[in-house]
Amino acid sequence: MKLKDYSILILLILTWSISYAQSYQISGTVSDNITGTAIENVAIYDKNAGQLAITDINGKYRFETTQKELTLIWFSYEYVVLEESLTINNDLIKNVQLQQLGEELTAIELTVRKEKLFQLERLKDVEGTSIYAGKKTEVVLIENSTANLAANNARQIFNQVAGLNIYQNDDAGLQLNIGGRGLDPNRTANFNTRQNRYDISADVLGYPESYYAPPAEGLQSIQVIRGAASLQYGTQFGGLVNFVMKEPNQSKPLELITRNTIGSNGLYTNFTSLSGTSGKWSYYTFFNYKKGDGFRPNSQFESKNIYAHVGYQFNDQTKVTGEITYLNYLAQQAGGLNDRQFEENPFQSNRERNWFEVDWFLYNLNFSHDFTEDTKFTFNAFGLQAQRNALGFRTNRVDQIDPGTERDLIKGDFNNYGAEARFLSTYNLAGKKNIFLIGSKFYKANNTSTQGPGSDGSDADFDFRFDEYPNYSNQNDFVYPNLNISLFGENIFYVNDKISFTPGFRLEYIKTESEGFTREIRTDAAGNVIFNEVIDESRSNERTFALLGLGTSYKANDAIELYGNISQNYRSVTFTDISTINPAFEIDPNIDDEKGFTADIGARGNFNDFISYDASAFALFYNDRIGFTQVVADDGRVKSQRGNVGDAVIYGLESLVDLNLQKLLIKNRAYKFNLFFNTSLVSSEYTNSDANGIEGNKVEFIPELNFKTGFQLGYKNFMSSIQYSYLSQQFTDATNATDGNLSGVIGAIPAYDVLDFSASYKYNRFKLEAGINNVLDNSYFTRRATGYPGPGIITSPNRNYYITLEIKI
C-alpha cells in the first residue's frame, strides 16, 4: 500500500465522519458565586475525555459535542471543582457559579493539579490489563513538556526520566537512541519499544532496533518501565518504552491542529492532525513532514510520516480500534570522524556518497472487552512490513578520501506479525482484594539481509551491481526466520490497603534461525582474484526457559510509597550482527545470549503538591555481556572484536526531585514555577572474563554522573524553561581505552554539558513556541558508531534555534 492510498483512506473516513455527525453547541459563563464577577481561565473537562474549553477574560466558554450525555468538570486553581452531568438534546447554554477554594481538596482536584503541576507521573498499580505494582515506572506527560517537540529532542523530552543515556547526532529526531544503566543507546535496541502497547522494532528477537519513533507532536505520553517489564512485555534488560498516541477528540466531529516549524540549517517541519468522534465512531490521524540540510555537510534529509487510528465503540464494555503507521525517510550520512579530525573541525565531512533510507509500515487491530468492572480482556494483533537500506563508502580508516569506486550496500527487509492476549480479573482471597493477570504472545518473523556492491555514483541508488562488480569483497545473503511464543502472568496480593506483593513469571520459547552464505574474495595488488569461496551457513537455536520476578509496595500515604522489585532478564544474540561484514570490527564465532537480573528499591510520592520525587537504588547483574575487546588477528593487526566479554555488575542511585516553587514563593496561582533535579550516580565492574585485562574494568556506556536540572517559569499562557545537562566521561569498549583508534570506533566519550532554552505563548487558537538548543555552542559528541551513520565519532549538533506556530481549529 502506497502513501497515496493511505491519504485516500483517511480522506474517506473524515468525509463520512463529518457528514454523519450531529453536533451540539454548549456555551455559558462562569462567575464567582459571591461577587458575581466573571472568572477567566476556568478549564472545562469532559470527565472521560479531557479538556474541552477554557473561559476567556469575560468568563465565557463554548465547545461542540456529538454526545447525548456528558459529565462536565469546571476547574480553576482558586475555586472548588464543580462536577455536573448533562443530558443534551439541543444547543445548550450552561451558566455556572463557582465557590472559592477552601482548605479541603477533592480527589478530582488533586488529580488535575498533579497533571498541571508536574511533567512526570507514575503508573497506577493497574491500568487496563497491565500490572505495574512494585515496579519503577515513569510517565512523561507531553502536554506539560516545554521540549522541542517538532525535532523530537530526546534530551529535553526525557529530561525527567532518571539515568537515561542519549545519543544526540541529528537535529530532526529521525531516530530515537536512548539507553541507561550501561545499555547501548543505539536505536533504543535494549528496550522493548512499543506504540500503544504493540511492538514497533525491526525484529524483537533477531534485530530489536527501532528505526521508527513516533513524532512527539502526536504523543499523549511516554511510559517507561525499567527491567521488571521483562515479565509482561519481553525479556530485555532495559525494560519497556511505550509511546501512547493522542486519542480522538470526543467532543466534536472534527478538530484540526496544524504546526509549522522552521529552524537552523534549513529545518522545516509540518505536523497536521485531524481528530473527532461521530456516534460510536472515532478517529485520530496526522501527517508529519520534515526536511533540512543538517548541521554538517552531506547531511540533508526528508521524512514523511502518516498515522491513522479508527475506533468503534460497540457499547460501554466493548471497543475495537485499528491503526496504521507509515514512515519513509531518506537521509544523507556525513560519516564518522576519528579523534584527530574531531579536534581539527568537529563539523567536517569527507563522505558525499553515503545514504540511508527507511520504509516502515506498521498495522494493528485491538479488541477490548470488560466482562465486568473487575474482569477485563484485550487482544492485540500487529505486524510490520519494512525495509532499511544503507549505502556508502565506509572504510576502517575514516580519514581516507572516498576514491569514488563502487559503494557498500546493505539491504534489510523485515516482515513480522504477532498477537498478544491479556486477561485481568479482581478477586477476593481471605477477605482481601487481589488482582490476577494472565497473558500470552505469539511472534513470527521472516527477515532478510543482503550485502554487496552498490553503484559508483553519488546519488541514493539502492540497486545492487553484482554484474558490474562480481569480485566485490563484502558479499552475503541471509534469511532469518524467528519464532517466539510466551506465556506470562502476575498477581497482586494485597496484605492490607497499604502493603502488596506482586510475584510474576514469563515462560519463553525462542527459535532463531539463520540460512545463507558469505562470499570470501581475495585479490592481489593488481586486482586479480586469487581466492573466491562461498561459505554456506545454516544455524538453528532453540531455547525454552522461565523468568521469575517479585515486586512489593508499601503505600503509607500520598506522600510516600516504598517499592522494590527483582526480575530476571534475557537478551538473545542477533544474527544480523553476526552475518554482516563490517570493516570496523569482527565477530566472535562463539557469541552467545546474555542473561541476568535487575533489582530496584526506592521511595516515591507527592507531598502536598509541593514536591514530586522518586529516589531509588538499583543493581543489574549481567552474565555473558556482549561488547568490544581488542584482539590480535592472524596477520598481526589489532582489531576490535564483538563477543561475550564476561560477567558484569552495574549498580547505582537514581533520583528525580521536582519542586513546585509557586506554592512556596510566589503564591499566585496564575504563575507556574517548577525546579527539577534529575541525578544518576552509577558504578560498574566486570567481575569475570576469559579475555585478558578485562576483570575489574568499568562497563561501557556508563557515565558515573548523569545530571540534569532545569526550571519552568510561566504566567498564565506564557511558559519558559531552561535545562542544563551534564554527563561525565564514559567508555565504549571493555578494555576502557581512552585514546581513539584509526576508525574512531574505540575510545572514550569525554564529559560534556549542554544548555537549552525554550518558551511558548498561547492565545486563543494560536500557540507560538521558540527555543535555542545548545545555547553555549559547545562542541561535543555522544557516540562512536560501529556502523552507519559512521563508523567513527558522530558529532552532536552545535547551537541551533527553532520557531513553531500552532493553530487549532
Side-chain angles (χ1 to χ4, degrees):
M1 187 179 284
K2 302 296 184 182
L3 184 60
K4 178 181 178 183
D5 300 326
Y6 304 149
S7 303
I8 294 172
L9 173 63
I10 293 168
L11 183 60
L12 291 174
I13 293 171
L14 297 181
T15 303
W16 178 87
S17 299
I18 295 168
S19 63
Y20 183 81
Q22 172 72 44
S23 62
Y24 305 102
Q25 180 174 285
I26 313 299
S27 60
T29 302
V30 181
S31 58
D32 188 295
N33 72 329
I34 296 178
T35 65
T37 56
I39 308 174
E40 184 184 3
N41 290 325
V42 177
I44 297 91
Y45 291 85
D46 177 342
K47 187 174 182 179
N48 298 316
Q51 186 171 323
L52 301 173
I54 190 167
T55 59
D56 61 18
I57 194 171
N58 298 312
K60 296 184 181 296
Y61 71 91
R62 182 179 64 184
F63 65 89
E64 292 183 348
T65 182
T66 59
Q67 299 189 66
K68 298 289 187 178
E69 295 183 352
L70 277 178
T71 298
L72 295 182
I73 296 172
W74 286 265
F75 170 80
S76 172
Y77 284 112
E78 299 175 353
Y79 290 85
V80 174
V81 168
L82 175 64
E83 178 178 334
E84 189 170 338
S85 297
L86 303 179
T87 300
I88 304 168
N89 297 312
N90 297 291
D91 292 348
L92 179 65
I93 297 177
K94 181 64 178 177
N95 298 323
V96 299
Q97 292 186 325
L98 299 184
Q99 177 184 348
Q100 289 193 7
L101 188 66
E103 293 183 359
E104 293 294 323
L105 296 178
T106 67
I108 294 173
E109 286 175 291
L110 286 171
T111 300
V112 173
R113 279 172 170 76
K114 286 178 183 177
E115 292 177 351
K116 290 288 183 180
L117 296 177
F118 301 112
Q119 184 181 330
L120 199 78
E121 66 177 15
R122 287 97 198 174
L123 290 165
K124 302 172 186 175
D125 283 2
V126 175
E127 296 199 8
T129 54
S130 296
I131 287 177
Y132 303 109
K135 297 176 175 62
K136 183 176 177 64
T137 67
E138 295 144 308
V139 182
V140 180
L141 302 174
I142 299 298
E143 183 180 357
N144 290 5
S145 174
T146 55
N148 180 3
L149 302 181
N152 276 12
N153 190 317
R155 182 177 67 244
Q156 299 173 16
I157 293 172
F158 292 92
N159 62 358
Q160 294 190 28
V161 178
L164 288 188
N165 192 2
I166 302 170
Y167 283 163
Q168 305 161 32
N169 51 258
D170 73 67
D171 55 2
L174 295 179
Q175 289 184 4
L176 178 66
N177 298 277
I178 62 173
R181 300 180 174 181
L183 303 174
D184 189 346
N186 186 44
R187 298 192 183 100
T188 319
N190 286 286
F191 283 92
N192 182 280
T193 52
R194 298 192 176 198
Q195 173 177 286
N196 287 347
R197 304 199 183 285
Y198 57 88
D199 292 301
I200 61 174
S201 61
D203 181 339
V204 174
L205 299 172
Y207 198 69
E209 301 191 9
S210 298
Y211 289 97
Y212 157 74
E217 292 166 303
L219 293 178
Q220 175 178 304
S221 63
I222 304 172
Q223 300 170 344
V224 181
I225 298 97
R226 295 308 176 98
S230 60
L231 302 185
Q232 284 189 61
Y233 295 102
T235 62
Q236 295 281 27
F237 281 84
L240 171 75
V241 174
N242 180 46
F243 300 98
V244 182
M245 309 299 284
K246 287 182 178 177
E247 296 182 350
N249 187 315
Q250 297 187 17
S251 65
K252 52 186 177 181
L254 177 63
E255 178 187 63
L256 168 67
I257 299 176
T258 183
R259 293 168 53 90
N260 288 277
T261 300
I262 58 172
S264 301
N265 311 308
L267 176 68
Y268 169 73
T269 77
N270 171 267
F271 179 89
T272 300
S273 68
L274 296 170
S275 174
T277 300
S278 175
K280 295 184 176 183
W281 291 91
S282 61
Y283 68 93
Y284 175 71
T285 181
F286 65 71
F287 178 75
N288 185 214
Y289 177 77
K290 296 180 181 181
K291 72 172 183 178
D293 300 324
F295 61 93
R296 293 173 62 194
N298 309 316
S299 298
Q300 62 177 296
F301 60 87
E302 184 176 42
S303 169
K304 307 176 187 71
N305 184 193
I306 192 168
Y307 167 83
H309 164 104
V310 178
Y312 184 78
Q313 187 82 46
F314 288 92
N315 49 52
D316 292 341
Q317 292 77 39
T318 308
K319 185 176 183 179
V320 173
T321 62
E323 295 179 6
I324 58 172
T325 304
Y326 177 74
L327 167 72
N328 177 270
Y329 78 77
L330 176 66
Q332 193 173 11
Q333 307 278 275
L337 308 175
N338 59 32
D339 292 70
R340 178 186 56 80
Q341 289 176 297
F342 181 84
E343 290 298 326
E344 291 175 352
N345 178 8
F347 303 105
Q348 65 178 294
S349 167
N350 61 355
R351 298 288 179 262
E352 300 178 357
R353 305 189 303 140
N354 291 14
W355 296 88
F356 195 82
E357 181 185 47
V358 168
D359 201 74
W360 222 253
F361 176 59
L362 292 157
Y363 54 92
N364 168 254
L365 180 67
N366 178 270
F367 171 81
S368 62
H369 177 73
D370 296 349
F371 294 98
T372 67
E373 240 180 77
D374 296 327
T375 303
K376 302 178 180 181
F377 172 79
T378 57
F379 178 82
N380 236 344
F382 56 90
L384 168 71
Q385 294 180 4
Q387 184 179 64
R388 67 105 173 89
N389 301 317
L391 172 70
F393 174 70
R394 53 182 196 126
T395 179
N396 190 40
R397 294 185 62 99
V398 296
D399 58 356
Q400 181 179 339
I401 302 301
D402 185 347
T405 56
E406 71 274 17
R407 294 171 288 177
D408 190 62
L409 174 60
I410 305 175
K411 297 171 71 74
D413 287 296
F414 308 102
N415 298 282
N416 58 60
Y417 59 89
E420 185 175 82
R422 291 168 169 262
F423 177 82
L424 183 141
S425 183
T426 300
Y427 65 97
N428 289 322
L429 180 66
K432 303 295 183 182
K433 181 183 76 169
N434 300 278
I435 301 174
F436 171 70
L437 165 69
I438 189 74
S440 63
K441 180 180 178 182
F442 171 86
Y443 184 83
K444 184 75 173 71
N446 188 28
N447 305 321
T448 65
S449 177
T450 307
Q451 183 175 13
S455 76
D456 61 0
S458 299
D459 60 345
D461 179 355
F462 297 105
D463 292 326
F464 285 109
R465 296 292 198 274
F466 288 107
D467 292 338
E468 296 177 42
Y469 308 102
N471 299 325
Y472 184 72
S473 58
N474 298 340
Q475 297 187 36
N476 60 71
D477 194 346
F478 283 90
V479 178
Y480 307 103
N482 294 328
L483 175 64
N484 178 215
I485 301 173
S486 60
L487 176 70
F488 56 89
E490 293 194 32
N491 197 109
I492 306 178
F493 293 100
Y494 286 101
V495 178
N496 51 44
D497 292 340
K498 299 180 182 298
I499 301 174
S500 67
F501 292 92
T502 308
F505 72 93
R506 186 179 187 90
L507 300 178
E508 286 277 341
Y509 169 78
I510 298 176
K511 183 179 181 181
T512 51
E513 300 177 81
S514 175
E515 188 82 32
F517 70 88
T518 297
R519 183 183 295 274
E520 185 175 351
I521 300 174
R522 301 175 192 169
T523 59
D524 59 20
N528 301 309
V529 176
I530 57 176
F531 183 83
N532 187 336
E533 181 182 1
V534 174
I535 304 172
D536 293 316
E537 188 176 307
S538 180
R539 303 187 188 191
S540 181
N541 188 1
E542 288 187 77
R543 51 272 208 206
T544 303
F545 57 90
L547 301 180
L548 302 176
L550 175 65
T552 184
S553 170
Y554 172 68
K555 298 179 181 177
N557 48 50
D558 287 339
I560 183 168
E561 176 192 358
L562 304 178
Y563 65 92
N565 193 289
I566 182 169
S567 297
Q568 291 177 286
N569 303 97
Y570 186 95
R571 186 176 190 270
S572 59
V573 69
T574 61
F575 279 122
T576 46
D577 282 342
I578 295 175
S579 305
T580 301
I581 300 172
N582 191 313
F585 63 89
E586 63 180 28
I587 296 290
D588 182 348
N590 299 314
I591 193 170
D592 198 6
D593 299 339
E594 301 170 311
K595 311 168 189 68
F597 64 91
T598 303
D600 286 285
I601 183 170
R604 59 194 173 198
N606 184 319
F607 179 72
N608 199 27
D609 283 344
F610 171 55
I611 299 176
S612 174
Y613 69 93
D614 188 342
S616 64
F618 76 90
L620 194 159
F621 295 86
Y622 226 126
N623 297 328
D624 300 319
R625 179 183 170 91
I626 294 176
F628 287 95
T629 57
Q630 306 302 299
V631 297
V632 180
D634 294 338
D635 57 8
R637 293 179 301 159
V638 177
K639 293 199 68 174
S640 296
Q641 184 182 78
R642 181 173 174 83
N644 298 104
V645 176
D647 301 337
V649 59
I650 304 164
Y651 53 93
L653 301 173
E654 296 174 337
S655 69
L656 171 71
V657 178
D658 193 344
L659 304 174
N660 175 23
L661 296 180
Q662 172 270 332
K663 193 165 186 176
L664 179 67
L665 301 177
I666 304 176
K667 296 183 179 181
N668 183 333
R669 298 183 186 276
Y671 287 89
K672 181 174 182 179
F673 187 12
N674 282 64
L675 174 66
F676 77 88
F677 300 94
N678 178 349
T679 309
S680 174
L681 300 170
V682 183
S683 188
S684 63
E685 182 182 1
Y686 276 102
T687 58
N688 180 51
S689 177
D690 293 332
N692 294 327
I694 300 300
E695 286 188 25
N697 284 0
K698 300 293 185 182
V699 178
E700 312 93 296
F701 308 113
I702 297 180
E704 293 189 344
L705 173 60
N706 186 336
F707 176 71
K708 301 178 182 69
T709 186
F711 66 84
Q712 292 183 354
L713 179 61
Y715 177 71
K716 293 187 177 181
N717 292 328
F718 174 79
M719 182 65 64
S720 64
S721 71
I722 291 179
Q723 175 183 317
Y724 175 78
S725 306
Y726 172 83
L727 276 76
S728 62
Q729 176 182 274
Q730 54 187 294
F731 301 111
T732 59
D733 78 318
T735 64
N736 292 179
T738 55
D739 297 330
N741 59 2
L742 292 174
S743 66
V745 170
I746 299 301
I749 296 175
Y752 64 90
D753 63 333
V754 189
L755 184 69
D756 301 310
F757 169 78
S758 61
S760 67
Y761 179 75
K762 186 176 182 180
Y763 177 75
N764 291 333
R765 301 180 185 272
F766 302 91
K767 185 177 182 181
L768 185 66
E769 302 172 9
I772 304 174
N773 303 315
N774 192 4
V775 174
L776 302 178
D777 201 22
N778 290 341
S779 296
Y780 69 104
F781 66 91
T782 63
R783 181 178 188 182
R784 291 182 182 266
T786 58
Y788 287 99
I793 292 171
I794 307 300
T795 307
S796 296
N798 54 355
R799 183 190 297 129
N800 59 92
Y801 73 89
Y802 67 93
I803 300 175
T804 301
L805 175 63
E806 175 186 302
I807 304 174
K808 181 183 293 189
I809 301 174

